[in-house]
């Protein structure tokens, strides 16, 4: 926050008498001594004036959300979002019509949570217009600004943000007033875009207190509104515990797969959340790949070869999370999945053609038979051995004709 990019933005504004302060997450994280992510700045100056002053100082300007008063000023290749102070004129639960203001308290009053309604001068002076944000941030209290139901009706996504911020920062039990408001308005969650829901849920799922937050969401009826079909919060909580016991990095997509109630729920959930193609494919595989215990390392390697190491480990963890197997049996699965690199099948279609087999479906059938035998032999056969097996199959087929 004191580096040259931010300093350049503040200097461009201050040189013309424009006041500006850091706002929101970067202030909260600075107060808590956490690493700073995105830099957000607010000012009473209108976006047109911000752009003119920034350009006059030689800085690049991108009007990223000018209708809401936001422009991105780029200094030394670092983006700094600068937003004009605002008040809400009209809201519909998904988006707001805003009017610009020069009142810092009005801007603070429209924010979601008290710990996000903090402002910071470049000299280090913290401003807390609500009068609760600084104490709440330091105490790990997650509370809505003003009336909880009013804040949620302005933007229903704030239900998920309440639980997400509690999962990350909360040190006290969830605020009962906030919980009650989330429960009352949970039926509005389907009105949100899937992208927004998944963006919040993905962050929540890897937060420090994700398991407890999911439990509170389930009790409030929130998880039942995330996508069509059932949810399995207990299995997701179990997966969180298994990942921790195995020393695995928190994985939002694996935890999401665990939340989905069975393989049949993969498509509705992926469609509702607008998952990327890779995310949706991983969820499908995690829920469809057989996760039963392997008989030994050759079978483990065979299954990893056919499904991929990540899909194999996902399925095994979900299988254990359903209470079908002790968690300690997964340690060796983890080690094999992480340490063994599947080899490449050493022959292909050219080898079949070299034996005089005409192109067609028979080529694939022969290669699959040889590959199955190669896998059954624990991948020990080299190219010569596989070609010998292939030649034997071709001879056998000709003798049977």
């Amino acid at each position: 926050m004191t580096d040259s990019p931010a300093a350049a933005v503040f200097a461009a504004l201050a040189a013309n008498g424009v006041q500006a302060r850091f706002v929101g997450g970067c202030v909260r994280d600075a107060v808590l001594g956490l690493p700073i992510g995105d830099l957000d700045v607010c000012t009473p100056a209108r976006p047109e004036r911000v752009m003119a002053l920034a350009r006059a100082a030689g800085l690049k300007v991108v009007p990223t959300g000018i209708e809401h008063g936001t422009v991105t000023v780029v200094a030394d290749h670092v983006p700094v979002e600068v937003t004009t102070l605002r008040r809400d004129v009209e809201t519909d639960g998904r988006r707001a019509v805003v009017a610009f203001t020069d009142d810092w308290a009005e801007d603070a009053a429209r924010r979601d949570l008290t710990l996000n309604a903090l402002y910071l001068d470049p000299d280090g002076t913290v401003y807390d217009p609500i009068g609760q944000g600084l104490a709440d941030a330091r105490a790990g209290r997650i509370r809505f600004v003003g009336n909880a139901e009013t804040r949620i009706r302005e933007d229903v996504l704030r239900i998920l943000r309440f639980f997400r911020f509690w999962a990350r920062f909360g040190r006290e039990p969830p605020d009962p007033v906030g919980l009650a408001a989330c429960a009352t308005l949970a039926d509005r969650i389907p009105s949100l875009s899937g992208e927004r829901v998944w963006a919040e849920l993905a962050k929540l799922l890897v937060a420090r207190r994700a398991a407890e937050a999911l439990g509170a969401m389930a009790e409030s009826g929130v998880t039942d509104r995330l996508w069509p079909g059932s949810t399995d919060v207990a299995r997701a909580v179990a997966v969180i515990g298994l990942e921790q016991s195995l020393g695995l990095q928190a994985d939002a997509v694996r935890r999401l797969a665990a939340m989905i109630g069975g393989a049949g729920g993969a498509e509705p959930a992926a469609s509702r959340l607008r998952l990327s193609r890779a995310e949706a494919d991983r969820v499908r595989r995690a829920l469809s790949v057989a996760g039963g215990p392997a008989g030994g390392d050759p079978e483990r390697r065979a299954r990893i070869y056919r499904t991929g190491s990540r899909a194999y480990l996902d399925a095994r963890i979900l299988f254990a999370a359903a209470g079908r197997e002790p968690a300690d049996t997964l340690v060796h699965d983890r080690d094999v999945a992480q340490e063994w690199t599947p080899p490449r099948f050493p022959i292909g279609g050219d080898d079949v053609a070299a034996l005089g087999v005409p192109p067609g479906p028979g080529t694939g059938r022969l290669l699959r038979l040889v590959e199955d035998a190669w896998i059954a032999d624990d991948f020990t056969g080299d190219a010569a051995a596989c070609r010998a097996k292939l030649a034997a199959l071709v001879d056998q087929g000709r003798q049977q004709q």
Side-chain angles (χ1 to χ4, degrees):
M1 296 171 80
T2 58
D3 287 346
S4 59
V9 173
F10 278 101
L13 299 175
N16 293 272
V18 172
Q19 185 181 28
R21 293 170 179 166
F22 290 107
V23 65
C26 62
V27 183
R28 175 200 66 225
D29 292 345
V31 165
L32 296 176
L34 299 173
I36 304 301
D38 295 335
L39 294 176
D40 294 314
V41 172
C42 61
T43 175
R46 300 302 192 259
E48 295 79 11
R49 189 175 185 206
V50 171
M51 290 191 292
L53 296 178
R55 285 171 177 150
L59 302 177
K60 179 182 177 181
V61 179
V62 181
T64 44
I66 196 167
E67 70 278 6
H68 291 98
T70 300
V71 299
T72 299
V73 181
V74 182
D76 296 339
H77 308 289
V78 175
V80 179
E81 280 202 353
V82 182
T83 301
T84 302
L85 298 179
R86 300 170 293 182
R87 61 182 174 83
D88 289 339
V89 174
E90 180 182 337
T91 60
D92 65 1
R94 292 179 296 171
R95 60 185 70 84
V97 176
V98 301
F100 300 138
T101 180
D102 58 4
D103 188 330
W104 295 88
E106 274 193 315
D107 187 81
R110 69 177 297 277
R111 296 185 178 272
D112 54 0
L113 304 167
T114 57
L115 81 171
N116 291 333
L118 297 173
Y119 303 78
L120 178 70
D121 271 344
D123 66 5
T125 303
V126 177
Y127 296 87
D128 183 5
I130 301 300
Q132 302 170 321
L134 196 55
D136 284 353
R138 288 171 172 163
R141 284 191 296 267
I142 310 303
R143 295 193 291 177
F144 287 103
V145 171
N147 183 277
E149 287 197 21
T150 300
R151 294 289 82 77
I152 293 172
R153 290 179 192 277
E154 290 168 348
D155 185 352
V156 179
L157 191 70
R158 288 171 172 171
I159 292 176
L160 297 181
R161 288 176 63 80
F162 173 80
F163 290 106
R164 196 251 289 185
F165 279 94
W166 185 84
R168 182 181 177 193
F169 297 106
R171 293 201 300 274
E172 297 184 350
D175 174 49
V177 175
L179 274 177
C182 291
T184 297
L185 298 172
D187 60 353
R188 301 189 177 204
I189 291 174
S191 69
L192 295 168
S193 72
E195 293 93 339
R196 296 184 77 202
V197 172
W198 174 229
E200 287 296 323
L201 184 59
K203 294 174 185 176
L204 185 157
L205 285 171
V206 297
R208 178 176 57 89
R209 302 186 73 174
E212 295 160 279
L214 288 175
M217 290 168 66
E219 290 180 10
S220 302
V222 171
T223 53
D224 290 339
R225 306 308 205 288
L226 295 176
W227 53 75
S230 62
T231 54
D232 192 339
V233 170
R235 184 167 66 170
V237 170
V239 164
I240 292 171
L242 288 170
E243 286 180 349
Q244 292 169 347
S245 68
L246 292 167
L248 297 174
Q249 185 175 356
D251 192 312
V253 178
R254 182 187 292 132
R255 294 176 180 188
L256 171 66
M259 280 185 70
I260 296 171
E267 295 302 330
S271 176
R272 165 66 182 126
L273 299 180
R274 302 297 297 273
L275 299 183
S276 70
R277 184 175 299 178
E279 290 167 340
D281 181 64
R282 186 175 172 200
V283 167
R284 293 186 199 101
R285 291 169 71 84
L287 292 170
S288 62
V289 170
D297 282 358
E299 185 178 340
R300 285 187 176 90
R301 288 189 283 266
R303 289 165 63 180
I304 290 170
Y305 177 82
R306 294 188 185 280
T307 68
S309 58
R310 188 166 63 177
Y312 171 75
L313 192 56
D314 285 348
R316 291 287 291 119
I317 290 174
L318 264 62
F319 182 81
R324 301 173 184 173
E325 190 172 2
D328 57 7
T329 63
L330 295 176
V331 173
H332 195 55
D333 288 289
R334 176 203 62 193
D335 294 343
V336 174
Q338 291 181 339
E339 297 170 7
W340 182 68
T341 301
R344 183 175 178 274
F345 185 45
I347 64 173
D350 289 346
D351 297 288
V352 180
L355 295 173
V357 177
T363 296
R365 182 183 62 82
L366 286 165
L367 288 173
R368 282 192 296 273
L369 289 171
V370 176
E371 187 177 27
D372 288 344
W374 177 67
I375 294 170
D377 288 337
D378 200 17
F379 312 96
T380 55
D382 58 10
C386 289
R387 291 190 187 102
K389 176 67 174 177
L390 175 65
L393 288 171
V394 171
D395 287 343
Q396 181 182 356
R398 287 170 175 161
Q399 290 172 8
Q400 292 174 352
Q401 289 179 352

